[in-house]
Amino acid sequence: MGKYWVIRCPNCHQFNYTDKYGKWKLCPVCGEIISTQQVPIYLEVDEYSEAENLIAAVEQYLAQTGRADLHPEEVALIREKYQEWLKKG
C-alpha cells in the first residue's frame, strides 16, 4: 500500500498530497485546513515524487481540456494504470 494520498483542497481545488496517516493537511495555496477523512482520495502512491508528477500531469490535462475535475471513470483509469506500472517496475 502507498504512503501518500493525492487529494484536492475543497476550498481552492488545488491538488496536493499528504501522508496517508495524517488527519489534517494545510493547503499551501489558500490555507484551508483539510480533513483527510472528508476529501476524496484520487490515488495512493508510494513516493511523494510520484504524487508530484501525477499532480502536474492532471493539472496540465485539466487546463488543456478546460475542465474543472476528472470524471470518476478517469480516476479509476489512473488507479488501474498506476497498479500496472507498479507491477512492471
Side-chain angles (χ1 to χ4, degrees):
M1 295 300 264
K3 300 175 191 169
Y4 298 94
W5 285 337
V6 175
I7 61 173
R8 198 166 194 194
C9 176
N11 184 50
C12 71
H13 306 289
Q14 176 70 36
F15 283 98
N16 210 323
Y17 65 91
T18 185
D19 181 316
K20 77 176 202 174
Y21 300 106
K23 293 185 179 191
W24 306 98
K25 171 73 177 181
L26 181 66
C27 179
V29 175
C30 71
E32 176 84 7
I33 299 173
I34 304 166
S35 168
T36 59
Q37 309 301 314
Q38 297 179 352
V39 294
I41 308 302
Y42 284 78
L43 187 64
E44 191 171 307
V45 298
D46 291 327
E47 302 291 331
Y48 73 90
S49 59
E50 294 171 358
E52 289 175 340
N53 291 336
L54 176 71
I55 289 168
V58 168
E59 287 176 342
Q60 181 181 8
Y61 172 75
L62 292 175
Q64 288 174 346
T65 60
R67 294 182 21 217
D69 203 355
L70 298 171
H71 296 295
E73 298 84 18
E74 292 170 319
V75 174
L77 180 62
I78 289 171
R79 290 177 181 163
E80 179 183 321
K81 294 296 181 185
Y82 180 72
Q83 290 301 319
E84 289 176 11
W85 178 78
L86 285 178
K87 289 177 186 175
K88 290 179 184 178

